[in-house]
Every structure is written in C-alpha cells, then in structure tokens.
Amino acid sequence: QVQLAESGGGLVQPGGALRLSCAASGDIFSTYAMGWYRQAPGKQRELVATITSGGTTTYADSVKGRFTISRDNAKNTVYLQMNSLKPEDTAVYYCSAARHGSSTFNRYWGQGTQVTVSS
C-alpha cells in the first residue's frame, strides 16, 4: 500500500509556471510507476504525464514541451513542472502510483490539488 499527498497547486496567470509535488509513503516508492492526471469541471480525468520506475516518461500531446515529470526516489517524491500555463490547464491535478505484480495490479491516488490559470 502507498499513500500519496499532492501539493503546489494554486492560482497563476496565463504564461506562468507552477511546480506540483507528490509525496509518497507506505511502500517502496522506487518500484512504482508514477503519473499525473487532471480533471476539469464536467470532464473526465485525463492523463497528463507518466514516469516509469526506470525513468521513462510520456506526455499528453496537450502538454508536450511545456510540462516535465520527474521523480526523486531518495525523497519518495514525484514532481510536475508546469510552464507556459494556459487557461485550459485549469483542473484538479491528481498524483497516481501503479505497480504490476505476478498476479495483482495496484493503483493508488492522491486527493488532488487545484490548479487555476486565469488572468
């Protein structure tokens, strides 16, 4: 089991930047793939970025070139650096952790942090 706690959200003007953090506890962090998802009002939750236990990253087309996901296994933390923010980036951002076992799959979610991009 793993517990996740996001932080770093807030209000920012278009073109600004925010850095989200997700602190994990309760399990061996380095064995999990991590991801950031977001959910805007009235819309389904969507993938933003992922990073595997080996450090391979993927990004949604909408954030490619603007957002960067990274992890610090020594601190049990995953980050999402968000630059050149746009109003359409406004959403609740959720951290996730996932791991496949020989006969199980486990996914955990944080409670989310609000990001609002507005002038």
Side-chain angles (χ1 to χ4, degrees), residues 9-65:
L11 175 65
V12 65
Q13 294 186 349
L18 285 173
R19 188 193 193 195
L20 305 183
S21 298
C22 174
S25 62
D27 208 342
I28 304 175
F29 175 79
S30 61
T31 67
Y32 282 82
M34 304 295 296
W36 287 96
Y37 292 72
R38 67 187 182 187
Q39 187 167 21
K43 300 189 68 177
Q44 292 185 302
R45 188 173 299 184
E46 65 175 350
L47 174 69
V48 176
T50 65
I51 183 166
T52 69
S53 60
T56 301
T57 60
T58 63
Y59 297 93
D61 288 342
S62 60
V63 307
K64 185 179 179 181

Coordinates of all heavy atoms in Angstrom, one line a residue, residues 9-65:
G9 N -0.4 23.3 -5.9 CA -1.4 24.0 -6.7 C -1.7 25.4 -6.3 O -1.2 25.8 -5.2
G10 N -2.4 26.1 -7.1 CA -2.7 27.5 -6.8 C -3.2 28.2 -8.0 O -3.5 27.6 -9.1
L11 N -3.3 29.5 -7.9 CA -3.8 30.4 -8.9 C -2.6 31.0 -9.6 O -1.7 31.6 -9.0 CB -4.7 31.5 -8.4 CG -5.1 32.6 -9.3 CD1 -6.0 32.0 -10.4 CD2 -5.9 33.7 -8.5
V12 N -2.5 31.0 -11.0 CA -1.5 31.6 -11.7 C -2.0 32.2 -13.0 O -3.0 31.7 -13.5 CB -0.4 30.5 -12.0 CG1 -1.0 29.4 -13.0 CG2 0.8 31.1 -12.7
Q13 N -1.4 33.2 -13.5 CA -1.8 33.9 -14.7 C -1.3 33.1 -15.9 O -0.3 32.3 -15.9 CB -1.2 35.3 -14.8 CG -1.8 36.2 -13.7 CD -1.4 37.7 -13.9 OE1 -0.5 38.0 -14.7 NE2 -2.0 38.6 -13.2
P14 N -2.0 33.2 -17.1 CA -1.5 32.6 -18.3 C -0.1 32.9 -18.6 O 0.3 34.1 -18.4 CB -2.5 33.1 -19.4 CG -3.7 33.5 -18.6 CD -3.3 34.0 -17.3
G15 N 0.7 31.9 -19.0 CA 2.1 32.1 -19.2 C 3.0 31.8 -18.0 O 4.2 31.8 -18.2
G16 N 2.4 31.7 -16.9 CA 3.1 31.5 -15.6 C 3.5 30.0 -15.5 O 3.3 29.2 -16.3
A17 N 4.0 29.7 -14.3 CA 4.5 28.4 -14.0 C 4.2 27.9 -12.6 O 4.1 28.8 -11.7 CB 6.0 28.3 -14.2
L18 N 4.0 26.6 -12.4 CA 3.8 26.0 -11.1 C 4.6 24.7 -11.1 O 4.8 24.1 -12.1 CB 2.3 25.7 -10.8 CG 1.4 26.9 -10.5 CD1 0.0 26.4 -10.4 CD2 1.8 27.5 -9.2
R19 N 5.0 24.3 -9.9 CA 5.6 23.0 -9.7 C 4.8 22.2 -8.7 O 4.7 22.6 -7.5 CB 7.0 23.2 -9.2 CG 7.8 21.8 -9.2 CD 9.1 22.0 -8.4 NE 10.0 20.8 -8.6 CZ 11.0 20.6 -7.8 NH1 11.3 21.4 -6.8 NH2 11.8 19.5 -8.1
L20 N 4.2 21.1 -9.1 CA 3.5 20.3 -8.2 C 4.4 19.2 -7.7 O 5.3 18.7 -8.3 CB 2.3 19.6 -9.0 CG 1.3 20.5 -9.7 CD1 0.2 19.7 -10.3 CD2 0.8 21.6 -8.8
S21 N 4.1 18.8 -6.4 CA 4.8 17.8 -5.8 C 3.9 16.7 -5.3 O 2.7 17.0 -4.9 CB 5.7 18.3 -4.6 OG 6.6 19.2 -5.0
C22 N 4.3 15.5 -5.2 CA 3.5 14.4 -4.7 C 4.5 13.5 -3.8 O 5.4 12.9 -4.3 CB 3.0 13.5 -5.9 SG 2.1 12.0 -5.3
A23 N 4.2 13.5 -2.6 CA 5.0 12.8 -1.6 C 4.3 11.4 -1.3 O 3.1 11.4 -1.0 CB 5.1 13.6 -0.3
A24 N 5.1 10.4 -1.4 CA 4.6 9.0 -1.2 C 5.1 8.4 0.1 O 6.2 8.7 0.5 CB 5.0 8.1 -2.4
S25 N 4.3 7.6 0.7 CA 4.7 6.9 1.9 C 4.0 5.5 1.9 O 3.0 5.3 1.3 CB 4.4 7.7 3.1 OG 3.1 7.9 3.3
G26 N 4.6 4.6 2.7 CA 3.9 3.3 3.0 C 4.4 2.2 2.2 O 4.0 1.0 2.5
D27 N 5.2 2.4 1.2 CA 5.7 1.3 0.3 C 7.0 1.7 -0.3 O 7.5 2.8 -0.1 CB 4.7 0.9 -0.7 CG 4.8 -0.6 -1.1 OD1 5.8 -1.2 -0.9 OD2 3.8 -1.1 -1.7
I28 N 7.6 0.8 -1.1 CA 8.9 1.1 -1.7 C 8.6 1.9 -3.0 O 8.2 1.4 -4.0 CB 9.6 -0.2 -2.1 CG1 9.8 -1.1 -0.8 CG2 11.0 0.1 -2.7 CD1 10.4 -2.4 -1.1
F29 N 8.8 3.2 -2.9 CA 8.5 4.1 -3.9 C 9.1 3.8 -5.3 O 8.5 3.9 -6.3 CB 8.9 5.5 -3.5 CG 8.7 6.6 -4.5 CD1 7.4 7.1 -4.8 CD2 9.7 7.1 -5.2 CE1 7.2 8.1 -5.7 CE2 9.6 8.1 -6.2 CZ 8.3 8.6 -6.4
S30 N 10.4 3.4 -5.2 CA 11.2 3.2 -6.4 C 10.6 2.1 -7.3 O 11.0 2.1 -8.5 CB 12.6 3.0 -6.1 OG 12.8 1.8 -5.3
T31 N 9.8 1.2 -6.8 CA 9.2 0.2 -7.6 C 8.0 0.5 -8.4 O 7.5 -0.3 -9.2 CB 9.0 -1.1 -6.8 OG1 7.9 -0.8 -5.8 CG2 10.2 -1.5 -6.0
Y32 N 7.4 1.7 -8.1 CA 6.2 2.1 -8.7 C 6.4 3.0 -10.0 O 7.3 3.9 -10.0 CB 5.3 2.9 -7.7 CG 4.6 2.0 -6.7 CD1 5.3 1.5 -5.6 CD2 3.3 1.7 -6.9 CE1 4.7 0.7 -4.7 CE2 2.6 0.9 -6.0 CZ 3.3 0.4 -4.9 OH 2.7 -0.4 -3.9
A33 N 5.5 2.8 -10.9 CA 5.3 3.8 -12.0 C 4.5 4.9 -11.4 O 3.5 4.7 -10.7 CB 4.7 3.2 -13.2
M34 N 4.8 6.2 -11.8 CA 4.1 7.3 -11.2 C 3.4 8.1 -12.4 O 3.9 8.1 -13.5 CB 5.0 8.2 -10.4 CG 5.7 7.5 -9.3 SD 4.6 6.9 -8.0 CE 3.9 8.5 -7.4
G35 N 2.4 8.8 -12.1 CA 1.7 9.6 -13.1 C 1.0 10.8 -12.5 O 0.7 10.8 -11.3
W36 N 0.8 11.8 -13.4 CA -0.1 12.9 -13.1 C -1.3 12.9 -14.0 O -1.2 12.7 -15.2 CB 0.6 14.2 -13.2 CG 1.6 14.5 -12.1 CD1 3.0 14.2 -12.2 CD2 1.4 15.1 -10.9 NE1 3.6 14.6 -11.0 CE2 2.6 15.1 -10.2 CE3 0.2 15.5 -10.2 CZ2 2.7 15.7 -8.9 CZ3 0.3 16.0 -9.0 CH2 1.5 16.1 -8.3
Y37 N -2.5 13.0 -13.4 CA -3.7 13.1 -14.2 C -4.4 14.4 -13.8 O -4.1 15.0 -12.8 CB -4.6 12.0 -13.9 CG -4.2 10.6 -14.4 CD1 -3.1 10.0 -13.8 CD2 -4.8 10.0 -15.5 CE1 -2.6 8.7 -14.3 CE2 -4.4 8.8 -15.9 CZ -3.3 8.1 -15.3 OH -2.9 6.9 -15.8
R38 N -5.3 14.9 -14.6 CA -6.1 16.1 -14.3 C -7.5 15.9 -14.7 O -7.9 15.1 -15.6 CB -5.5 17.3 -14.9 CG -5.6 17.3 -16.4 CD -4.8 18.5 -17.0 NE -4.9 18.7 -18.4 CZ -4.2 19.5 -19.2 NH1 -3.4 20.4 -18.6 NH2 -4.4 19.6 -20.5
Q39 N -8.4 16.6 -14.0 CA -9.8 16.6 -14.2 C -10.4 18.0 -14.1 O -10.4 18.6 -13.1 CB -10.5 15.6 -13.3 CG -12.0 15.4 -13.6 CD -12.6 14.3 -12.8 OE1 -12.1 13.9 -11.8 NE2 -13.7 13.7 -13.4
A40 N -10.9 18.5 -15.3 CA -11.5 19.8 -15.3 C -13.0 19.6 -15.0 O -13.6 18.5 -15.2 CB -11.3 20.4 -16.7
P41 N -13.7 20.7 -14.6 CA -15.1 20.6 -14.3 C -15.9 20.1 -15.5 O -15.8 20.5 -16.6 CB -15.5 22.0 -13.9 CG -14.2 22.6 -13.4 CD -13.2 22.0 -14.3
G42 N -16.7 19.1 -15.2 CA -17.6 18.5 -16.3 C -16.9 17.6 -17.2 O -17.5 17.1 -18.2
K43 N -15.6 17.3 -17.0 CA -14.9 16.4 -17.9 C -14.3 15.2 -17.2 O -14.2 15.2 -16.0 CB -13.7 17.2 -18.6 CG -14.2 18.4 -19.4 CD -13.0 19.0 -20.2 CE -12.6 18.1 -21.3 NZ -11.5 18.7 -22.1
Q44 N -13.9 14.2 -18.0 CA -13.3 13.0 -17.4 C -11.9 13.3 -17.0 O -11.2 14.1 -17.6 CB -13.4 11.8 -18.4 CG -14.9 11.3 -18.6 CD -14.9 10.1 -19.5 OE1 -14.4 10.1 -20.6 NE2 -15.4 9.0 -18.9
R45 N -11.4 12.5 -16.1 CA -10.0 12.5 -15.8 C -9.1 12.1 -16.9 O -9.4 11.1 -17.6 CB -9.7 11.7 -14.5 CG -8.3 11.8 -13.9 CD -8.2 11.0 -12.6 NE -9.2 11.5 -11.6 CZ -9.2 11.1 -10.4 NH1 -8.4 10.2 -10.0 NH2 -10.1 11.6 -9.5
E46 N -8.1 12.9 -17.2 CA -7.2 12.5 -18.3 C -5.8 12.5 -17.9 O -5.3 13.1 -16.9 CB -7.4 13.6 -19.4 CG -6.9 15.0 -19.0 CD -7.0 16.0 -20.2 OE1 -7.2 15.6 -21.3 OE2 -6.8 17.2 -19.9
L47 N -5.0 11.7 -18.6 CA -3.6 11.5 -18.4 C -2.8 12.8 -18.8 O -3.1 13.3 -19.9 CB -3.1 10.3 -19.2 CG -1.5 10.1 -19.1 CD1 -1.1 9.7 -17.7 CD2 -1.1 9.0 -20.2
V48 N -1.9 13.2 -17.9 CA -1.1 14.3 -18.2 C 0.4 13.8 -18.5 O 0.9 14.2 -19.6 CB -1.0 15.3 -17.1 CG1 0.0 16.4 -17.3 CG2 -2.4 15.9 -16.8
A49 N 0.9 13.1 -17.6 CA 2.3 12.6 -17.8 C 2.5 11.4 -16.9 O 1.9 11.2 -15.9 CB 3.3 13.7 -17.4
T50 N 3.5 10.5 -17.4 CA 3.8 9.3 -16.6 C 5.3 9.2 -16.6 O 6.0 9.7 -17.4 CB 3.2 8.0 -17.1 OG1 3.8 7.8 -18.4 CG2 1.7 8.1 -17.2
I51 N 5.8 8.5 -15.5 CA 7.2 8.2 -15.5 C 7.3 6.8 -14.8 O 6.8 6.5 -13.8 CB 8.0 9.2 -14.6 CG1 9.5 8.9 -14.6 CG2 7.5 9.4 -13.2 CD1 10.4 10.0 -14.1
T52 N 8.1 5.9 -15.5 CA 8.2 4.5 -15.0 C 9.2 4.4 -13.9 O 9.9 5.4 -13.6 CB 8.6 3.6 -16.2 OG1 10.0 3.9 -16.6 CG2 7.7 3.7 -17.4
S53 N 9.3 3.3 -13.3 CA 10.3 3.0 -12.3 C 11.7 3.2 -12.8 O 12.6 3.5 -12.1 CB 10.1 1.7 -11.7 OG 10.3 0.6 -12.6
G54 N 11.9 3.0 -14.1 CA 13.2 3.1 -14.8 C 13.4 4.5 -15.3 O 14.5 4.8 -15.9
G55 N 12.4 5.4 -15.2 CA 12.7 6.8 -15.6 C 12.2 7.2 -17.0 O 12.4 8.4 -17.4
T56 N 11.5 6.3 -17.7 CA 10.9 6.6 -19.0 C 9.7 7.5 -18.8 O 8.8 7.1 -18.0 CB 10.6 5.3 -19.7 OG1 11.8 4.6 -19.9 CG2 10.0 5.7 -21.1
T57 N 9.6 8.5 -19.6 CA 8.5 9.5 -19.5 C 7.6 9.5 -20.7 O 8.0 9.2 -21.8 CB 9.0 10.9 -19.2 OG1 9.8 11.3 -20.3 CG2 9.8 11.0 -17.9
T58 N 6.3 9.8 -20.5 CA 5.4 10.0 -21.6 C 4.5 11.3 -21.2 O 4.4 11.6 -20.0 CB 4.4 8.8 -21.8 OG1 3.6 8.6 -20.6 CG2 5.2 7.6 -22.1
Y59 N 4.0 11.9 -22.2 CA 3.2 13.1 -22.0 C 2.0 13.2 -23.0 O 2.1 12.7 -24.1 CB 4.1 14.4 -22.3 CG 5.2 14.6 -21.4 CD1 6.5 14.1 -21.7 CD2 5.1 15.2 -20.2 CE1 7.6 14.2 -20.9 CE2 6.2 15.3 -19.3 CZ 7.4 14.8 -19.7 OH 8.5 15.0 -18.8
A60 N 0.9 13.8 -22.5 CA -0.2 14.1 -23.3 C 0.3 15.1 -24.4 O 1.1 16.0 -24.1 CB -1.4 14.6 -22.5
D61 N -0.3 15.0 -25.6 CA 0.1 16.0 -26.6 C -0.2 17.4 -26.2 O 0.5 18.3 -26.6 CB -0.7 15.7 -27.9 CG -0.2 14.4 -28.6 OD1 0.9 14.0 -28.3 OD2 -1.0 13.9 -29.4
S62 N -1.2 17.6 -25.4 CA -1.6 19.0 -25.0 C -0.6 19.6 -24.1 O -0.6 20.9 -24.0 CB -3.0 18.9 -24.3 OG -3.0 18.1 -23.2
V63 N 0.3 18.9 -23.4 CA 1.2 19.5 -22.5 C 2.7 19.2 -23.0 O 3.6 19.8 -22.3 CB 1.1 18.9 -21.1 CG1 -0.4 19.1 -20.6 CG2 1.5 17.5 -21.0
K64 N 2.9 18.5 -24.0 CA 4.2 18.2 -24.5 C 5.0 19.5 -24.8 O 4.5 20.4 -25.4 CB 4.1 17.4 -25.8 CG 5.5 16.9 -26.3 CD 5.3 16.1 -27.6 CE 6.7 15.6 -28.1 NZ 6.5 14.8 -29.3
G65 N 6.2 19.6 -24.3 CA 7.0 20.7 -24.4 C 6.8 21.8 -23.4 O 7.7 22.7 -23.3

